Amino acid sequence: MNQRDLFLRHVAQTSEAPLALEFVRAEGSYLWDAKGKRYIDLIGGISVCNVGHRHPAVVAAIKDQADRYLHTMVYGETVQTPQVGYARLLAEHLPPSLNCVYFTNSGTEAVEGAMKLAKRATGRTEIVGFLEAYHGSSQGALSLMGDEYWRNAFRPLLPGIHHLRHNDTRDLARIGSQTACVVLETIQGEAGVRAPDAAWMRALRERCDQVGALLVLDEIQCGFGRNGTLWAFEQYGIVPDILLLGKALGGGMPLGAFVADRSLMYELASKPVLGHITTFGGHPVSCAAGMAAMRALLAERMVEGVAERETWFRTALENLPGVRALRSRGLMIALEFDSFETNKQVIDRAIAAGVFTDWFLHSAQSMRIVPPLNISREDVQRACEILALCISS
Ligand code: PMP
């Protein structure tokens, strides 16, 4: 039996039509399949490979940490140099009130931890999320899912969750004295790149302050330079009480985090003690890899190159016949067609022609373009030429 058949037989399937491509190597903005065919990767592991696949500094850091120690003890009891180093580096590049990092294994777990912290700190029970939101697939994070289709089969979910309309000022009044926290993607990802207005964001921040609710911003998909600033919230002139990170945070290794002020985070240390527990969260190899990725992102000034690359994509794709809309925030781009069927046809053709891409969960008619932040001009041009052919044929 070949690898594909073994994959279909023994690896749990979550779709009736998986891509089932077998990649055997990845480097920078490229993927290679088992037949030696090269693909330009326009999705970078879905916003994970911001510094490119297998950045040499990341690979070196993984090897170096693997030579020292792997797992030694559950989270929070012992001093682990990669965790300490990465938490400090993150704090140095965040506003002063975001100075304390709880590392998790995934984005979803960061969401879970933040919801618990908000309940614990406020003593309140209700949580506000938004329509079309995506925050993960565990039952807490799924309760925040902004679309009934995806959550209904898994009820009962968390009680006390309210979904407001995104970017709608009238709904802000529903954030009240029982609200522990409001959880929002700074830029909605799976909704197909939906950016709220700056005025609405400021009103949301003010409303949270007014009623004593914590503002949790999910930058798991849009953070780490993707939007042209290191953190997306910088563009709104507000600071969250809790920031959620994941995906690119680990430089290609599994890592998530929720970040808050030290005094707020300390709520997890008592009543009960061990308020949030994880065996592998903040794994030393993941932290070493993530720290190397962040250093590379900063040293190679990748964030500074995002706006230019966004323009290359916009110029090449925006006005093509058949493209209904192009929404972008830096290198987080949604190319919208008239239907899922059209989008899927273009995607299939693109993959066959050596450009790897996919669609968004809540915006299936839109193609996802979230490449490594250091993708070259030649690769952008080549990928766009191929996409243009796929759209017109
Ligand atoms: N929040 C957002 C905005 C995401 O895009 C994702 C993943 N797509 C998650 C949370 C969940 O992250 P993970 O899959 O690592 O659990």
Side-chain angles (χ1 to χ4, degrees), residues 192-193 325-328 332-336 360 366-369:
V193 187
L326 187 154
R327 288 180 299 281
S328 68
M332 192 169 173
I333 302 170
L335 193 62
E336 185 173 322
F360 295 90
S366 302
M367 179 188 290
R368 187 193 310 269
I369 302 179

Side-chain angles (χ1 to χ4, degrees), residues 106-108 111 134-136 185 190 218 220-221 247:
S106 65
T108 303
V111 176
Y134 184 86
H135 297 287
E185 294 159 87
E190 295 311 311
D218 179 341
I220 289 165
Q221 189 167 155
K247 290 191 179 275

Side-chain angles (χ1 to χ4, degrees), residues 130-131 163-175 184 195-197 199-201 203-204 207:
F130 290 89
L131 297 177
H163 290 91
L164 309 190
R165 282 170 295 191
H166 187 245
N167 209 21
D168 186 311
T169 311
R170 288 163 300 176
D171 275 10
L172 295 182
R174 292 175 59 193
I175 301 167
L184 172 77
D197 300 332
W200 182 80
M201 277 293 236
L204 173 65
R207 181 68 189 164

Side-chain angles (χ1 to χ4, degrees), residues 131-384:
L131 297 177
E132 303 219 312
Y134 184 86
H135 297 287
S137 202
S138 60
Q139 294 192 66
L142 189 63
S143 306
L144 288 169
M145 179 77 97
D147 186 327
E148 195 57 27
Y149 170 77
W150 299 100
R151 59 175 191 244
N152 195 34
F154 305 103
R155 290 189 181 281
L157 293 167
L158 278 187
I161 304 271
H162 304 288
H163 290 91
L164 309 190
R165 282 170 295 191
H166 187 245
N167 209 21
D168 186 311
T169 311
R170 288 163 300 176
D171 275 10
L172 295 182
R174 292 175 59 193
I175 301 167
S177 60
Q178 285 310 306
T179 312
C181 65
V182 175
V183 185
L184 172 77
E185 294 159 87
T186 312
I187 308 297
Q188 284 194 324
E190 295 311 311
V193 187
R194 301 278 175 189
D197 300 332
W200 182 80
M201 277 293 236
R202 282 195 297 275
L204 173 65
R205 176 70 272 186
E206 275 167 29
R207 181 68 189 164
C208 288
D209 288 340
Q210 223 172 42
V211 300
L214 299 181
L215 178 60
V216 181
L217 288 183
D218 179 341
E219 300 220 354
I220 289 165
Q221 189 167 155
C222 66
F224 219 79
R226 171 110 352 242
N227 288 149
T229 45
L230 189 53
W231 316 115
F233 67 79
E234 290 174 58
Q235 299 182 21
Y236 287 96
I238 58 157
V239 175
D241 299 298
I242 306 177
L243 176 67
L244 307 180
L245 301 174
K247 290 191 179 275
L249 181 71
M253 294 292 285
L255 191 64
F258 55 106
V259 188
D261 186 68
R262 196 171 302 109
S263 57
L264 174 57
M265 199 68 95
Y266 206 63
E267 298 278 349
L268 294 175
S270 63
K271 297 181 206 156
V273 63
L274 301 173
H276 198 63
I277 302 177
T278 168
T279 297
F280 287 124
H283 193 281
V285 177
S286 296
C287 284
M291 183 160 55
M294 185 163 171
R295 284 194 175 136
L297 185 86
L298 298 169
E300 295 170 32
R301 306 182 69 76
M302 290 183 208
V303 186
E304 288 82 342
V306 165
E308 186 182 33
R309 285 166 175 76
E310 178 185 12
T311 310
W312 299 340
F313 277 107
R314 286 203 81 98
T315 311
L317 300 175
E318 191 166 26
N319 297 316
L320 291 178
V323 169
R324 213 164 74 170
L326 187 154
R327 288 180 299 281
S328 68
R329 290 294 283 212
L331 281 176
M332 192 169 173
I333 302 170
L335 193 62
E336 185 173 322
F337 298 98
D338 58 2
S339 66
F340 170 66
E341 287 68 31
T342 309
N343 189 25
K344 177 79 171 80
Q345 211 168 51
V346 176
I347 289 169
D348 288 346
R349 286 183 193 138
I351 293 175
V355 171
F356 193 57
T357 177
D358 78 338
W359 62 89
F360 295 90
L361 220 54
H362 301 321
S363 181
Q365 73 280 19
S366 302
M367 179 188 290
R368 187 193 310 269
I369 302 179
V370 290
L373 306 187
N374 53 0
I375 188 170
S376 70
R377 180 159 206 164
E378 297 71 51
D379 286 335
V380 173
Q381 267 168 355
R382 179 88 194 106
C384 289

